[in-house]
Amino acid sequence: MKKFGVTIGFILMQLAVFAQQRDSTLVGQLDGIVRDSLEQHMMPSATVAIYDTRDSSLISYRLTDAMGGYIFTGLPVGRRLKMIVSYTGYRPLEQRFIIPADRRKLDLGYADLRRRTTDLAMFEVKAIPPVTMNGDTLEFHADAFALDTNAVVEDLFRRLPGMTLWGDGKITLNGREVKRVLVEGKSFFGDDPRIAMQNLPKNVVDKIQVYEKSKNKDNPQHSDTEVNIKLKKDKKTGLFGKLGAGLGTDDRKEAEINLNLFSPKTQLAFAGAGNNTNRTANDVTTLIRNAAFKSVSPVIDYLPDFYKQGIAKSFTGGISLDHEFVPERENQLNRLASRYFVTNNQLVLEQQSQTVSALSAGNTQLLDAAHKELNREMNHHATFTHTNQNPRHYTYLDANLKWSDNQSEISERGAAYLLSTDTLLQSTNNSTSQSHNTSRDLTFRADYSNHHRMTMKQWLPKVYSSYTLSLRNNDNARWQQSEFVAADDPSQHVSYDRRYQQDKRGSTHNYVFRLEDLQRLWSGKDLIFSVQHTAWLNHLHQDNSVSDRDGTGHYILNPYLTNKNHLRTFRGQPSLNIRREFYKSFPGRYNRRLLASLAVQGEYYWMANESGRAFQQLERRWQRFTPNASVYYQKNNYGEWSRSMELRYRSSAMYPTIDQLAPLVDSGQIWNLQLGNAQLKPASKDEVAFSFKHNSEKAGRDFYGAVELAAGIVHDAFADSSFYEEGRRRYYVVNGDQQRFINAGTEVKRSFKLKQHQLQFTLKTNGNLSLTPNYVEGLANNSRNLSGTAGSIVGYTLPDRLQVNASDQLTWYQSTQTGANELRFSNKMNVLALDASLVMSKSLVLSSNLNYNTTTSDGGSPIRFTIWNANVAYRLLKGKNLECKLSVMDLLRQNTNVINKGYNNTLVRGTVNVLQQYFMLTLAYYPRKFGSK
């Protein structure tokens, strides 16, 4: 597989050369001024578009500045181009030119526009301007872009100058991230823009509108970029979806159905899917998104998962309904959004693992384990959201209901060994267990927000409240046999044959109440106040019945472990939040924003436990001061770049549990026994974080860079204290020395465009360094853990033809023990991937993804395997809405999902059953109808 790595390296090198060549071929500059021919005044916001005369393709566009000027850079030199200038109420002006190759610069001087008259209409340039300015809204006219008859909105977006569609789904326009993509001013079957972009035909679109949506009524410049897809008048109703089924080798099957209907007031969707190919969906939106009519991208999150542990069988379905109760008006909204989703999943899991733990004085603990599990789960999830807004008030209500029913059957077999420094066996522990678990959970949540005006200029404080109720019911029946043998002392031989019946009933109540913008009560704007109180109330009832097998083969009740327990906890968090914002701007040049915030916050925690055992009858009360603060600064140089920096401080508290304070010690856990520590105190964490982001807003020069840094200390950190007697481990939790951590992350994204060609580079890194205290045989032992990920992606796109992504992802973990132990563990996993989709014709598409995996760890040889999947899809019928696809999955039949993870002084390695090679033939029909005709 070294050739595979060399191949990816060659591709990355060639793509990098392409990016460098871009700047050497497009070096021309063009400038000029647009003015009124009669009155000679300058004309701001006039549209200036540059076309290639050879094929009339759009090269670039600009809107003139406040003085009527325009400047184009990066234009081809020595080639005949044409410029079309347009403005509402004026005749379009066409001018042809060539930028000299030697000077690389051309000044066209004044472009004088004449007012439109009836007599001169026959002489006007018959060209639809690609872009115009309508007030504060930038509008791209869809009919100005010539595309294939089956093109979708995504194809149009890729051709809009300044717009970039990133491989991770993000959309930017001249460097600014597009926060929302709407259709007719509304969300389109959820908030994922790909549903509209990959399903709506380009020929139903009238225009693409881009505007800034204010996030703050007191500061209109604090805004997000939004895109609205405006449909043609006779295309505002439609139906689209997918009906598909597949049959494959190894008894693999798939089926899906998706129907979506929309009108000016209503959006209704039905979706369902079933498979045994490790494809899972968590909501209706996922099913709708992945039933897209057209998507060249090979990066889809609803694919057979060859990395998933186990083999899953999944059946899912749902309904989505959005309805507008009032006609579309500015600043008025009355909308209901509802979703229902159901899943019925089954998972078969088989794994074998070996766990290595470093102990004191060079001793080592080994655990060989085999695990088999059959898990069945049924989940229901329903949401209802109502939004009512008009110039006088805003009301929001969201109700959320979840129900889950989970049943699992688990069998485990383990053999544990304690070895001395010279690898001599000190003790063994063999165990076998079987269990059946049933859990049923119900969660209800309601969120309410209300905002009213007292007058047209003064609002009442905003009210927000939230309530969540969770009910839990868990029944567990378990049988376990264990046998412990001390190598040098036969008298320590112990064995158990024990049955457990545990019933748990629990509930959680959580509420949040917040009053925002309290300064409006006295018309103040300098300081922004809000108050909030959050509370959690938990109840947990446990009924444990335990019995042991006696010498006659009968099971008799264990009076110590048989117990009833009732745990109650309450946690309250009141806070006063103060914000102050400073803002400065120069029209058309820049704006600056500084926001400082402080949360004066505290916590109080109460825990009470009732039990049949006296040592578990306890009550605890704690209070903590947990303030938060942040300073945020942003500067935007219009058309050039935007930068932001943020410094944050956060404090929090962690409280001990009843199992850490006073557990009911189970002697059946012979080899690894947890004890209690009634003197355990809460731990507190102080964390400081800093972030810096830079975004280029120059057209055709998309660049994004970000750095995230965080560091913190955990005082009185929870730490394990372990000691060993006669080959057995005993441990309990103590308050250790300070735990320290540092996290760092970076992200760099760069995009290049050469006509229709687009090249993207993405680099992401994340690293974590922590120093975690623990104790072994009373001696301090520190685990210095270093972990992280580093990944790079290079993507190339030629619209309607080719998309290629090459990536390299490295994940690593390293733990060094100092103090009681002087040991080091490390492991890493590297994935080289190459994904490609090639459109051979309007009917034929080839796609493939190849992942080369390497896993290494201390004490073992590297494990390497390749997962290669390929697909051939052929479209039929006039509208290309009937698809036949052949899929070849795990072509080399090498998939071997390995377990390779580490934490503190422990390293785990093993294997698990995974999805392997199969072939599948699928047939899918995409119903599509837009408009009344």
Side-chain angles (χ1 to χ4, degrees), residues 13 99 442 464 533 535 587 598 734 829 866 902:
M13 181 179 66
I99 300 177
L442 174 67
Y464 172 81
H533 190 270
L598 172 66
V734 298
M829 183 173 69
T866 302

Side-chain angles (χ1 to χ4, degrees), residues 343-620:
T343 62
N344 187 353
N345 299 328
Q346 177 179 294
L347 176 68
V348 177
L349 180 67
E350 297 181 5
Q351 73 177 36
Q352 295 77 38
S353 64
Q354 183 180 74
T355 302
V356 183
S357 300
L359 309 179
S360 63
N363 294 336
T364 304
Q365 193 179 70
L366 299 180
L367 173 61
D368 293 323
H371 176 100
K372 293 184 178 181
E373 178 178 347
L374 174 61
N375 187 286
R376 302 181 182 91
E377 63 175 4
M378 174 75 77
N379 299 297
H380 301 264
H381 187 194
T383 61
F384 301 89
T385 304
H386 181 251
T387 306
N388 190 356
Q389 176 182 343
N390 62 42
R392 295 301 298 263
H393 78 270
Y394 170 85
T395 303
Y396 173 86
L397 177 63
D398 178 78
N400 191 308
L401 182 66
K402 292 182 180 180
W403 164 259
S404 65
D405 188 339
N406 187 305
Q407 297 188 30
S408 62
E409 297 177 4
I410 301 173
S411 62
E412 295 180 309
R413 186 179 298 273
Y417 311 93
L418 184 64
L419 305 177
S420 63
T421 307
D422 49 4
T423 67
L424 294 178
L425 182 65
Q426 296 185 15
S427 66
T428 62
N429 186 78
N430 298 311
S431 63
T432 302
S433 68
Q434 294 180 350
S435 64
H436 177 81
N437 185 76
T438 301
S439 63
R440 296 178 177 89
D441 300 316
L442 174 67
T443 301
F444 170 77
R445 174 169 176 164
D447 295 271
Y448 175 77
S449 181
N450 197 319
H451 206 185
H452 282 273
R453 284 184 188 268
M454 290 190 296
T455 67
M456 292 306 294
K457 293 185 177 181
Q458 190 173 17
W459 289 77
L460 287 170
K462 182 187 293 185
V463 177
Y464 172 81
S465 61
S466 173
Y467 172 73
T468 303
L469 170 66
S470 298
L471 302 176
R472 301 174 300 278
N473 187 336
N474 181 276
D475 296 324
N476 179 266
R478 181 166 58 95
W479 166 78
Q480 178 173 318
Q481 282 185 335
S482 56
E483 182 180 23
F484 175 82
V485 177
D488 56 355
D489 189 358
S491 65
Q492 296 297 320
H493 177 88
V494 181
S495 63
Y496 287 92
D497 187 335
R498 183 166 286 174
R499 287 181 176 177
Y500 302 83
Q501 179 64 50
Q502 183 181 67
D503 298 328
K504 292 183 179 180
R505 306 288 184 271
S507 66
T508 299
H509 302 264
N510 169 235
Y511 86 87
V512 180
F513 181 79
R514 182 168 64 245
L515 285 176
E516 300 180 3
D517 297 345
L518 292 178
Q519 82 286 355
R520 298 183 184 277
L521 291 176
W522 55 85
S523 300
K525 292 185 178 181
D526 291 339
L527 293 177
I528 303 173
F529 292 90
S530 65
V531 294
Q532 176 174 307
H533 190 270
T534 306
W536 297 264
L537 175 63
N538 294 281
H539 286 267
L540 178 61
H541 296 266
Q542 293 189 70
D543 188 352
N544 300 309
S545 178
V546 182
S547 56
D548 293 312
R549 186 174 181 177
D550 62 10
T552 64
H554 296 89
Y555 286 91
I556 59 174
L557 197 67
N558 184 311
Y560 176 75
L561 294 177
T562 299
N563 184 44
K564 291 185 177 181
N565 196 80
H566 179 204
L567 175 66
R568 291 170 293 163
T569 63
F570 181 82
R571 184 177 182 179
Q573 193 177 73
S575 65
L576 170 64
N577 302 281
I578 307 170
R579 292 187 298 136
R580 175 70 188 272
E581 184 173 10
F582 303 89
Y583 184 80
K584 183 178 181 180
S585 67
F586 188 92
R589 296 286 297 279
Y590 68 86
N591 69 62
R592 298 174 183 174
R593 178 171 174 257
L594 177 66
L595 177 64
S597 63
L598 172 66
V600 183
Q601 180 175 280
E603 285 189 4
Y604 49 95
Y605 187 87
W606 171 77
M607 177 176 66
N609 191 68
E610 299 176 4
S611 172
R613 301 289 171 261
F615 68 91
Q616 286 191 313
Q617 294 275 13
L618 54 83
E619 183 176 2
R620 296 287 189 274

